[in-house]
Every structure is written in structure tokens, then in C-alpha cells.
Amino acid sequence: MSSINYKKETNRTDTWFALVDCNNFYASCERIFSPSLEDKPIVVLSNNDGCIIARSKEAKSIGIEMGTPLYKAKRIIKNSNVQVFSSNYALYGDISRRIMSSLSEFSTSVEVYSIDEAFLDISKERKENLLEYGSEIRAKIKQWVGIPVSVGIGKTKTLAKLANELAKRVVTANGVYVIHKLENEKKSLRNIELEDVWGIGNRVGQNIRSMNIKTIFELMGLKQQEIMERFNVSIQRTIFELQGIRCIDLEHTPTRKKSICVSRSFKKQISCIKKLEEALTNYITNAAEKLRKNRLLATTIVIFLHTNPFRKSEPQHHESLTYHLHNASNDTRIFIRISFSLLKEIFRHKTQYHKVGIIFLDLISEDEYQQELFPKIDRNKSMKLMNTIDSLNNTMGRGTIIYASEGNKKIWRSRSSNKSDSYTTQWNELPIVKAY
DNA sequence: TCTGGGGTCCTAGGACCC
DNA sequence: TCTGGGGTCCTAGGACCC
């Protein structure tokens, strides 16, 4: 059994982390510019209008479950007049950026953990009244950006996460909860399951239960030796963190990406390789743009395709192919050329495909690039061209310059039948205010 | 008819090397 | 009669997260 480097003795005891989590983030974003939606049930759909991935409080309370396919919820949506939105990542991403930059007012150490969550190290800022500080954060974000957030505070990231769960569930908490010592929280944790702990999913939860450990308290009450013997490092870390022993630090600088993936399901199944190439061109264009934005080069590319796994009666095909480049690159043209030949190898005729995608792996920084001895492509020219295309697409709008192999019919486009405007990122979609 | 997308980390097992 | 041991790297798959 491997073990972790856990340092009880050297562990700073005066650390306080806050986890700020936006409530029903996507649904709340939709409300900022449509105040009439306040108090109404809202759901937001995944790409291709497939599943429900965000629900307002009202939508949750009428029993709409996370991840439900839209078609299964049609009836309740109609009966309860639920407002349905296709996902609008331009809007959510921009609102997220505003929140994260606001949070830097409250701590010099902010880790942006996801689009709607951030960890703050608030040890220095305000130790004497944590609850008050949490409330201040909550009030200011609502005032400045218009998004309701919950704040959980604890001595480790795992405890801050758990506190955040309580901030949402404990009625009297008003969206802010501080865990000083987990031992004292028996009452409020009554309805919290093992799986509600950050790092414990369904599988691990089941395993732990099968060891006859049923509650968070039993789990955190284990002796060190027992923990080391019975669990792998990930779970060891989680348990120590519950005990207030810090094992997971704040990540101050965003770590360099290790992979970049772009893939989408199609509106309709596709059996023609030409159409797959068109879709793939579009995904590669996006993925390569991400590479360049992060000043990265890819050394390995993987392309994959598959049929619709839910259509069990139809022949299934699920395959991927990997290619290692001699020289790392971020030139879209090179990726398109290679991908097309990979696609030809795995494509099967008379098969109804549902999705293709590309993954870039083994990413290196542009600064680490080693010049080829006999380059086939002039790298300076390539960089100039890519930069020009990127800047045109940035300033004039996405899709101003596209690659010919993307085609113009775009029958592979994902469904997005009810998307709100990109109020804050597109000049022509600015909200209009009428004053009478 | 209709079921998302994008990541990270850990582990076990095999290949390979000396 | 007798056929080691230890280390590293790679990969696939599992589990987790949002």
C-alpha cells in the first residue's frame, strides 16, 4: 500500500479556506438579464440540447433530476411551465470571469476551481469573524455581478467543500457555513451521505460501506494506521482532510494543461466520411485555437469516433487512433491533414456515427520548442498565419476565417434551439434597456 | 425521435533494460 | 541440478471532479 506525505507536525494549524460556489450557476446567469425569470423554474441543457445539466431551485423542487434527458422531462416541463435554455457558454464564461476577478478583492490567494467555484485562502484576511467575512463575500458578489453564491469555510479544502454543502442545506445558514471542528457538526451532518464528501464518488462510497463504515463520522474516526492499510492514497488524503489535516494545498498558479479535447454529438447521425471530415475540421480548428491561446504545442493527437451507444439495436463502432508527430506543432493545417488520414483508417462504411472528436496530448510550451534540422514547414510563416487568423476571428467574430474542409452546410451542427443572447460578449447582442 | 463535454489522478500489468 | 531481481516507462482502464 502506498502512502502519502502527510505532515501532522508541520501542518499549519491556522489555515482557513473558503469555498465560494455559485448557486445553480447557469440558471442564475440566465436570470441576470431576464429578471422576470426570478422565482420561476428554469433548466439549462447540455450541448445538443440533450440533458438537463442545471436547474433553478424551483425546478429542483418539482422533482427534475440532474442529468435527465430532455425528452424524459417534456411532460413536467410543459405542465409546470419550466423555462428551458440551451447552454450559452459565452455568457457563463464571461460571468464566471467577473466573479473570479471580484473574489480577488477578498483574498490574495484564489484558486479558480471550476467555472462556478473558487477556493480562497482567507487565513490572513479575517480570522476573528469568519462567518461575517463569508457573508460579506456573498453579499458583494450578489451586488457586483448579480449571482447568488454559497460560502463554506473550513481548515482544509475538503472541509470547506463540506461546509459549502451545509451552507446550501442548513436552512438557518443563510448561504454561509463555517466548520471549526467536524466533531461538533454531528447534528447538521445527519442527512449528509458519504458520497457528499469531495473525493468520494459512488464506487468508493459503496466500497467504504461494505467495510461497515456508514457515516462521515465513522470514516473520520479511523486511526491513522487503519487508514493507511485500508485505503489508497486518494481516499487517505480525503480522510485526513476531514480530520483537519491539510493534504491538498491551494493551487496558486494554474497548472499547465495536459490535454485538450474537442468533440460534439451531431444533430443527426452521419454515415458519410465527407461530413465527418467537416465536423472534425471545425473541432480541430477550435482545439488548435485553444492550444495557441495557451501558448502550447501538441506532440500527440488522438482522433476518435463512435456511434450512438443508446441505439443498442444498431451496429456499434467505437474506435480511436493515435499519432505521434515528429515535431510538436500548433498549426491547424497540419492537424487537419493528419486527422483526415487517421479518420480514413478507422471509418467504416454504412455506419451511423454520432460523434467525432480530437484530443491533443503531450503538450509542451512554445518556449520549449526544438527547431527541426530540415523543417518542412516554415515555422515563422506558420505562426504568423495562425496568429493572423486568430486575431481576425477574435475581432470580427468566430468563423470569419474558416478552413474550406469545414464546408458550409454544417449539417453536423449540434442542436441549440433555445439559446439566450451573448449579452456581455457580442456587440450585436447587447441587452436593450427601454426607459419611459 | 430525443441521452453532454472536458478534464485530472491513480493503479495494475506488461515491456524492457541491466 | 541449476533459470533472479529490481527499476523505469508506458498504457489502458477506473474513478473522480465540475
Side-chain angles (χ1 to χ4, degrees):
Chain A
M1 175 63 68
S2 48
S3 66
I4 51 167
N5 177 21
Y6 104 108
K7 352 159 212 187
K8 195 166 187 173
E9 270 64 52
T10 56
N11 208 20
R12 255 169 56 211
T13 51
D14 55 349
T15 321
W16 288 101
F17 292 111
L19 176 74
V20 179
D21 186 324
C22 303
N23 298 350
N24 320 319
F25 182 54
Y26 297 168
S28 301
C29 286
E30 297 294 349
R31 272 183 181 152
I32 298 181
F33 295 98
S34 309
S36 63
L37 295 174
E38 208 63 47
D39 304 325
K40 305 237 165 64
I42 303 178
V43 296
V44 179
L45 305 176
S46 62
N47 268 320
N48 213 19
D49 290 350
C51 295
I52 291 166
I53 54 163
R55 307 154 294 155
S56 70
K57 190 175 74 198
E58 299 75 15
K60 287 177 189 171
S61 73
I62 55 172
I64 299 179
E65 294 291 326
M66 178 73 173
T68 313
L70 175 61
Y71 74 92
K72 285 190 180 168
K74 276 269 154 78
R75 179 186 296 222
I76 190 165
I77 284 171
K78 194 166 169 233
N79 291 347
S80 303
N81 196 21
V82 177
Q83 303 298 304
V84 179
F85 290 92
S86 303
S87 40
N88 181 352
Y89 288 104
L91 175 65
Y92 312 149
D94 188 59
I95 301 299
S96 171
R97 274 188 292 278
R98 288 164 195 241
I99 290 173
M100 300 310 168
S101 86
S102 304
L103 287 177
S104 60
E105 300 273 325
F106 297 97
S107 167
T108 48
S109 298
V110 178
E111 175 192 340
V112 178
Y113 178 65
S114 75
I115 192 163
D116 68 339
E117 277 176 65
F119 285 104
L120 279 62
D121 183 336
I122 52 168
S123 320
K124 276 186 250 148
E125 277 73 13
R126 188 79 65 92
K127 262 193 346 199
E128 61 278 13
N129 197 338
L130 294 162
L131 198 61
E132 195 177 276
Y133 200 49
S135 304
E136 192 183 329
I137 296 175
R138 181 175 146 83
K140 292 292 186 194
I141 298 298
K142 178 72 181 152
Q143 184 190 342
W144 293 339
V145 196
I147 294 282
V149 301
S150 302
V151 183
I153 297 174
K155 280 180 173 291
T156 65
K157 285 167 91 174
T158 306
L159 286 173
K161 270 278 206 184
L162 197 55
N164 197 284
E165 195 65 38
L166 294 176
K168 293 201 173 84
R169 293 209 208 176
V170 175
V171 188
T172 52
N174 265 329
V176 185
Y177 203 99
V178 182
I179 292 180
H180 288 275
K181 268 197 161 180
L182 198 52
E183 294 93 299
N184 306 336
E185 300 292 343
K186 233 174 188 152
K187 201 171 147 206
S188 37
L189 286 178
R190 254 187 330 221
N191 300 319
I192 308 273
E193 302 291 333
L194 285 172
E195 288 82 355
D196 294 321
V197 173
W198 186 45
I200 300 181
N202 274 332
R203 273 302 170 91
V204 171
Q206 263 174 36
N207 281 344
I208 295 177
R209 254 180 259 278
S210 73
M211 299 172 177
N212 212 19
I213 299 167
K214 313 282 187 203
T215 67
I216 296 176
F217 282 101
E218 288 167 14
L219 188 63
M220 70 162 290
L222 294 176
K223 299 254 173 347
Q224 188 196 339
Q225 199 191 342
E226 226 172 339
I227 298 169
M228 304 298 252
E229 279 168 8
R230 295 171 84 170
F231 300 101
N232 67 31
V233 285
S234 316
I235 308 170
Q236 285 173 22
R237 261 197 291 258
T238 298
I239 304 174
F240 287 133
E241 286 244 327
L242 285 175
Q243 296 178 341
I245 300 163
R246 195 157 47 92
C247 301
I248 308 170
D249 275 322
L250 209 67
E251 292 181 17
H252 298 277
T253 46
T255 46
R256 185 205 286 175
K257 276 183 180 295
K258 299 191 169 81
S259 67
I260 287 175
C261 169
V262 174
S263 81
R264 296 276 179 282
S265 344
F266 310 133
K267 203 183 305 184
K268 284 186 177 154
Q269 320 237 63
I270 292 179
S271 56
C272 150
I273 192 166
K274 182 86 188 340
K275 297 295 170 208
L276 291 181
E277 285 175 355
E278 292 183 6
L280 195 54
T281 301
N282 181 266
Y283 307 159
I284 292 170
T285 307
N286 293 345
E289 210 180 288
K290 284 191 200 177
L291 269 182
R292 296 190 292 269
K293 205 176 250 172
N294 288 280
R295 300 199 68 247
L296 293 169
L297 305 163
T299 323
T300 301
I301 70 181
V302 180
I303 70 142
F304 61 90
L305 83 180
H306 62 81
T307 48
N308 188 340
F310 293 101
R311 295 198 176 180
K312 297 215 164 52
S313 57
E314 291 178 13
Q316 294 288 317
H317 181 214
H318 201 129
E319 198 165 346
S320 70
L321 207 50
T322 304
Y323 184 93
H324 299 285
L325 282 83
H326 291 295
N327 285 89
S329 174
N330 59 17
D331 187 318
T332 309
R333 299 166 301 169
I334 293 178
F335 297 137
I336 292 177
R337 206 180 56 230
I338 296 169
S339 303
F340 279 18
S341 66
L342 298 176
L343 185 66
K344 276 196 187 71
E345 282 189 49
I346 56 177
F347 172 79
R348 286 186 195 158
H349 288 282
K350 294 186 182 160
T351 307
Q352 297 289 333
Y353 289 104
H354 177 65
K355 187 191 244 188
V356 290
I358 176 133
I359 309 171
F360 293 135
L361 295 170
D362 300 324
L363 310 182
I364 60 164
S365 154
E366 277 180 357
D367 308 325
E368 294 164 29
Y369 178 74
Q370 295 202 345
Q371 184 65 49
E372 263 177 287
L373 199 52
F374 305 107
K376 284 196 200 106
I377 269 199
D378 183 331
R379 204 174 124 73
N380 286 332
K381 268 192 184 168
S382 152
M383 280 174 61
K384 263 191 198 158
L385 178 64
M386 291 300 127
N387 288 339
T388 309
I389 294 175
D390 288 345
S391 76
L392 280 170
N393 283 334
N394 276 332
T395 51
M396 318 278 287
R398 212 183 188 110
T400 301
I401 305 263
I402 61 164
Y403 292 83
S405 58
E406 188 173 312
N408 50 19
K409 290 227 177 87
K410 306 192 196 311
I411 63 152
W412 40 267
R413 265 267 150 89
S414 295
R415 195 175 290 118
S416 179
S417 40
N418 197 17
K419 190 166 81 65
S420 52
D421 284 341
S422 301
Y423 302 107
T424 59
T425 53
Q426 292 283 341
W427 286 113
N428 55 355
E429 296 181 13
L430 277 181
I432 294 167
V433 178
K434 290 186 183 132
Y436 296 102

